[in-house]
Amino acid sequence: AIQEGKPSATVENNFFLTVVPINAYQSDMLVAQFPTANRAFDDRMQTHDEMKRQLSKSGQAGWNFIDLLSDFSLLLYLCKFMDVKTDMPKICASVKDREIPLDDGYKIIITSMAGMDGSY
């Protein structure tokens, strides 16, 4: 290996490390309210009740159903129950491009999973 322009038989690990600043990012398109999987500091678990809590905000404070569905952790959670090859691409297309409406069938399935009675 070449280290600092000179041949070297060994290289210190610290040579490969660099300090990278962490900047917070606020998305105009996505929300981040659903519990994140595998996070010890978050006392909430990913459940259908949490999905209900998030999606029940639809129609309040300017939120609509697709806005609240536009949560990366929630979309990953839905992958456990929806078909990744047929259902999720259609759902994600509506999340990505708000001009593409989400089929009512998906709204019914998702609200039913959340234990909501058709309020979307």
Side-chain angles (χ1 to χ4, degrees):
I2 307 267
Q3 182 176 352
E4 298 178 355
K6 302 174 194 168
S8 175
T10 62
V11 179
E12 291 289 324
N13 286 340
N14 291 341
F15 181 75
F16 296 104
L17 299 179
T18 185
V19 177
V20 178
I22 299 174
N23 297 325
Y25 177 75
Q26 186 69 28
S27 173
D28 294 333
M29 188 172 91
L30 302 174
V31 295
Q33 299 174 356
F34 194 72
T36 306
N38 302 323
R39 296 291 188 251
F41 62 84
D42 193 352
D43 59 344
R44 300 179 307 150
M45 299 292 295
Q46 290 185 337
T47 62
H48 284 20
D49 288 335
E50 285 292 336
M51 185 167 57
K52 180 179 182 178
R53 180 176 292 125
Q54 179 156 330
L55 297 177
S56 64
K57 297 175 190 174
S58 180
Q60 303 171 8
W63 293 110
N64 64 35
F65 188 80
I66 199 69
D67 289 338
L68 295 164
L69 193 61
S70 301
D71 186 310
F72 183 72
S73 295
L74 177 56
L75 291 170
L76 286 178
Y77 181 70
L78 284 176
C79 288
K80 295 179 182 179
F81 309 102
M82 308 289 280
D83 187 14
V84 178
K85 293 190 184 275
T86 58
D87 299 329
M88 292 310 294
K90 293 177 183 176
I91 293 170
C92 290
S94 294
V95 167
K96 182 180 173 190
D97 184 358
R98 302 301 168 92
E99 298 296 318
I100 300 173
L102 183 63
D103 294 340
D104 284 338
Y106 288 121
K107 291 178 185 178
I108 292 169
I109 292 169
I110 293 168
T111 55
S112 295
M113 286 173 48
M116 301 167 63
D117 45 338
S119 54
Y120 54 83

